Amino acid sequence: MNSYVTGAMIKKLREEKKLTQEELAQKLHVSGKAVSKWETGQGLPDISLLEPIARALDISVIELFKGENVVNRNRASNVLKSVCYVCPVCGNGILALGQAVVSCCGITLPEVVPEEADEEHAISCVSDDGEYLASVDHPMQKGHYITCLIAVSDNEVQYVKLYPEGEATARFRMNRVKRIYAYCNRHGMFKIEVGRKKK
């Protein structure tokens, strides 16, 4: 039952809410037999029932499609624990304070996992008059470039959008910045740690 919603997910959420198949069926104005068929993979709910199912189970429709519910564990809203999603179709970037289900251009986006900066994506960061000057020595051509530089502290994100044929440089206020990220449109996100006192 992987076509557009999983029966296992419906069953799991129904049981967590301590609902019987019959009780869920009553909320949806369908038969208990229909719910049983969904949960055992012998049938699929009509597409018009997806929103009512999601409401009855306290989940978003996107999570229902994905087959898992997502819990944001970043209760303190610490920006350093943010999660980034980037659409491979349009390049749209979305920053969430914790795990989320994010969709763009008709696809569910995977979480971007930043890598330590390598030689090709080395991020230079120098302090200059109360600011960080961050730069990446990287091609800035239309098909291959650094799309943005981001400075992150525990309470703030500073974002600078970059464009092909420009320079991959940005200035950031130093205040509490702990990491700087660079996003390459071909190779993904890279990071460096900054602002830590050397022992």
Side-chain angles (χ1 to χ4, degrees), residues 2 10 37 41 61-62 73 83 105 111-112 118 126 129 134 137 176 180 182 187 195 198:
N2 296 328
I10 292 173
K37 283 185 175 181
V61 173
I62 294 174
R73 291 181 171 78
V83 179
C105 294
E111 177 183 335
V112 174
D118 58 17
V126 294
D129 198 25
D137 184 16
R176 297 164 73 164
I180 293 182
H187 301 107
K198 293 181 181 177

Side-chain angles (χ1 to χ4, degrees), residues 95-166:
L95 185 73
L97 285 177
Q99 283 198 318
V101 177
V102 179
S103 180
C104 188
C105 294
I107 57 173
T108 301
L109 305 181
E111 177 183 335
V112 174
V113 179
E115 299 176 39
E116 296 297 326
D118 58 17
E119 280 184 34
E120 190 181 348
H121 301 91
I123 304 167
S124 166
C125 181
V126 294
S127 58
D128 180 34
D129 198 25
E131 293 183 315
Y132 282 125
L133 175 60
S135 61
V136 183
D137 184 16
H138 188 279
M140 293 294 283
Q141 302 154 351
K142 286 188 180 178
H144 186 200
Y145 66 105
I146 300 296
T147 65
C148 61
L149 284 165
I150 306 166
V152 179
S153 67
D154 59 341
N155 67 345
E156 180 182 37
V157 174
Q158 299 174 64
Y159 177 94
V160 175
K161 173 75 176 129
L162 303 173
Y163 298 93
E165 299 170 11

Side-chain angles (χ1 to χ4, degrees), residues 7-187:
M9 184 62 166
I10 292 173
K11 182 177 181 180
K12 174 180 173 285
L13 291 167
R14 176 184 61 76
E15 289 174 346
E16 284 176 4
K17 291 189 71 61
K18 299 187 181 353
L19 292 171
T20 65
Q21 287 181 341
E22 204 58 52
E23 288 168 333
L24 178 59
Q26 286 174 2
K27 286 177 179 274
L28 302 171
H29 307 290
V30 298
S31 69
K33 203 174 258 190
V35 173
S36 175
K37 283 185 175 181
W38 303 340
E39 291 184 355
T40 57
Q42 296 172 14
L44 292 169
D46 186 83
I47 197 108
S48 66
L49 287 172
L50 293 183
E51 283 190 37
I53 291 169
R55 267 195 311 274
L57 299 174
D58 291 326
I59 192 170
S60 71
V61 173
I62 294 174
E63 288 171 298
L64 197 58
F65 280 141
K66 191 171 180 185
E68 61 182 273
N69 56 336
V70 174
V71 178
N72 181 2
R73 291 181 171 78
N74 187 10
R75 300 287 183 204
S77 298
N78 183 338
V79 180
L80 286 168
K81 295 181 180 178
S82 295
V83 179
C84 189
Y85 302 87
V86 178
C87 179
V89 178
C90 70
N92 191 14
I94 297 106
L95 185 73
L97 285 177
Q99 283 198 318
V101 177
V102 179
S103 180
C104 188
C105 294
I107 57 173
T108 301
L109 305 181
E111 177 183 335
V112 174
V113 179
E115 299 176 39
E116 296 297 326
D118 58 17
E119 280 184 34
E120 190 181 348
H121 301 91
I123 304 167
S124 166
C125 181
V126 294
S127 58
D128 180 34
D129 198 25
E131 293 183 315
Y132 282 125
L133 175 60
S135 61
V136 183
D137 184 16
H138 188 279
M140 293 294 283
Q141 302 154 351
K142 286 188 180 178
H144 186 200
Y145 66 105
I146 300 296
T147 65
C148 61
L149 284 165
I150 306 166
V152 179
S153 67
D154 59 341
N155 67 345
E156 180 182 37
V157 174
Q158 299 174 64
Y159 177 94
V160 175
K161 173 75 176 129
L162 303 173
Y163 298 93
E165 299 170 11
E167 291 185 3
T169 63
R171 288 189 165 274
F172 300 109
R173 291 180 311 283
M174 290 176 73
N175 187 28
R176 297 164 73 164
V177 169
K178 300 285 188 258
R179 287 187 206 124
I180 293 182
Y181 296 92
Y183 189 82
C184 171
N185 70 329
R186 283 194 186 170
H187 301 107

